[in-house]
Amino acid sequence: MFRSRLTATAAAAALLLAACSGDDGDQLGGPPSPASSGTSAPAAAPTPTPSPTPSPTPSPTPSPTPTPTPPHHVSLPALMHQRYDGGDLRLGEVLETTDAYTRYAVTYRSSGLTISGILNLPAGNGPLPVLVLAHGYIDPDIYTTGRGLRREQDYLARQGYAVLHTDYRNHAGSDDDPANEVRLRLGYTEDVVNAVLAVRAASHIPQLDGERVGLLGRSMGGGVTLNTLVVQPGLVDAAVIYASVSSNAVQNFDRWIRGRPGTEDLTAEIVAAYGAPEENPAFWRDVSPVTFLDRVTEPLLIHHGTADETCPPQWAHDTDAALRAAGKDVTLQLYEGEPHAFEAGWQLSIERSAAFFAEHLTAG
């Protein structure tokens, strides 16, 4: 499917907008690591369970304020009130057949767009619990369908989960949404919500159990996952995030956009559209999931490496603290010395993730 390419200026801006760079090792469009290439990376050896690490005092988080009625059209409250059209999940060509699962190209409907992705279907009749995966940032100009989270796709399918990995709009074979960057990529949240709804509506694919669905997101996809949990409470049964961006949109804006060389035009466009955080704090609170974590109903498992230089570990502590303060079911697992992409500790983390989903995606 044809997708219009970004201009040079927009492509440069897209590398940095409100998200951590990299997914499974890809850094700002650099060469992919084996884990995000066309072949699955070998599983790393398990590492000992890390010793509990005292949680630093979290930094101040945005205070909830009354949301305007109607809410700003670019906001999480707007997504809370939006009607979703997720459906029409279609199996395409077989991309790969392994000893444990078949990998299909798929498409589904999201906000009037066609979104591409992949579906790993384990052998057997099912119905099987489903995991929807939300990948981290990879330059759309080099992205290919199903890229990112390849280790997770393979491992979780081998544990008996049907794995749906969404490409998001503007990626691979998905339709183009020119406004997505200016909308702070909230379209990706729509695509994940609609992916789950497409699974739930896919009675024509009997291997899928639409009543048992989990969500896993990494880096930028961790932020998409948090957005999804606050926008549509109860949509999934459990969620896992790896090395996530901040749950405070201002921290993401300040880390990757404002004050960074080469992002002056993008900064000016965002500020012109919404105001700077210090000028219009209400807008920035309404695009920050931390403001609405009291809405979360699902158990959440957070993985973060202490040596993550892309998404600071403090962000994981802050999100964990805010969820705990709201009385939510959250578990924070820290991995001593692990970088953003996870290396030696990945095997332990994915085993914990599989056990977490097995506990919460039970039949009955």
Side-chain angles (χ1 to χ4, degrees):
M1 180 181 300
F2 174 80
R3 180 177 65 81
S4 62
R5 292 295 179 184
L6 300 172
T7 64
T9 300
L15 295 177
L16 294 166
L17 179 58
C20 283
S21 62
D23 184 80
D24 290 351
D26 282 0
Q27 295 290 327
L28 294 177
S33 71
S36 60
S37 64
T39 58
S40 301
T47 59
T49 302
S51 301
T53 302
S55 177
T57 302
S59 58
T61 55
S63 300
T65 58
T67 299
T69 303
H72 193 287
H73 69 282
V74 177
S75 69
L76 294 174
L79 293 187
M80 294 171 193
H81 295 95
Q82 180 170 313
R83 294 184 64 180
Y84 293 92
D85 64 350
D88 198 23
L89 180 62
R90 298 187 180 188
L91 296 181
E93 66 177 308
V94 173
L95 300 176
E96 181 184 5
T97 301
T98 76
D99 60 322
Y101 61 86
T102 301
R103 181 179 180 85
Y104 293 90
V106 298
T107 59
Y108 65 95
R109 183 178 61 248
S110 177
S111 301
L113 303 176
T114 296
I115 305 300
S116 63
I118 66 94
L119 177 65
N120 287 351
L121 272 183
N125 296 324
L128 304 168
V130 183
L131 300 178
V132 174
L133 272 52
H135 65 80
Y137 181 77
I138 303 174
D139 181 356
D141 283 339
I142 67 169
Y143 182 90
T144 53
T145 193
R147 184 169 179 172
L149 293 170
R150 285 299 300 267
R151 295 177 296 183
E152 290 79 1
Q153 293 173 34
D154 179 77
Y155 183 92
L156 294 169
R158 292 181 181 277
Q159 305 309 304
Y161 294 96
V163 177
L164 173 61
H165 180 282
T166 175
D167 290 332
Y168 306 136
R169 61 192 62 194
N170 301 337
H171 289 69
S174 299
D175 284 345
D176 193 33
D177 176 7
N180 190 53
E181 299 296 316
V182 178
R183 291 182 63 231
L184 304 179
R185 294 184 179 167
L186 289 182
Y188 296 164
T189 300
E190 296 178 69
D191 295 340
V192 169
V193 171
N194 283 316
V196 176
L197 294 177
V199 166
R200 294 196 182 282
S203 58
H204 58 290
I205 307 177
Q207 299 97 318
L208 304 183
D209 186 347
E211 298 303 314
R212 291 187 290 162
V213 183
L215 182 57
L216 183 149
R218 187 182 193 291
S219 192
M220 179 187 75
V224 173
T225 297
L226 290 173
N227 285 349
T228 300
L229 297 182
V230 303
V231 164
Q232 292 289 302
L235 181 70
V236 297
D237 299 301
V240 173
I241 59 176
Y242 276 81
S244 179
V245 295
S246 177
S247 54
N248 181 344
V250 177
Q251 290 180 326
N252 296 324
F253 178 64
D254 284 341
R255 185 168 181 85
W256 287 291
I257 306 299
R258 187 159 58 170
R260 289 287 295 264
T263 66
E264 294 85 359
D265 290 346
L266 178 59
T267 299
E269 187 174 7
I270 291 173
V271 170
Y274 314 121
E278 59 273 12
E279 297 166 352
N280 189 7
F283 170 83
W284 291 90
R285 282 194 293 266
D286 277 358
V287 292
S288 298
V290 69
T291 307
F292 306 102
L293 290 179
D294 62 310
R295 290 172 53 85
V296 173
T297 58
E298 299 78 13
L300 176 65
L301 173 60
I302 301 173
H303 300 293
H304 215 103
T306 63
D308 191 331
E309 296 182 353
T310 304
C311 295
Q314 184 62 47
W315 290 352
H317 285 294
D318 291 348
T319 298
D320 173 67
L323 284 161
R324 290 181 184 280
K328 304 305 176 181
D329 182 354
V330 58
T331 301
L332 172 60
Q333 295 285 0
L334 298 176
Y335 298 81
E336 189 65 33
E338 284 298 314
H340 184 60
F342 275 61
E343 294 173 355
W346 179 82
Q347 183 68 30
L348 175 60
S349 75
I350 197 63
E351 289 174 1
R352 285 173 166 169
S353 296
F356 178 78
F357 284 128
E359 177 184 357
H360 294 291
L361 272 66
T362 56

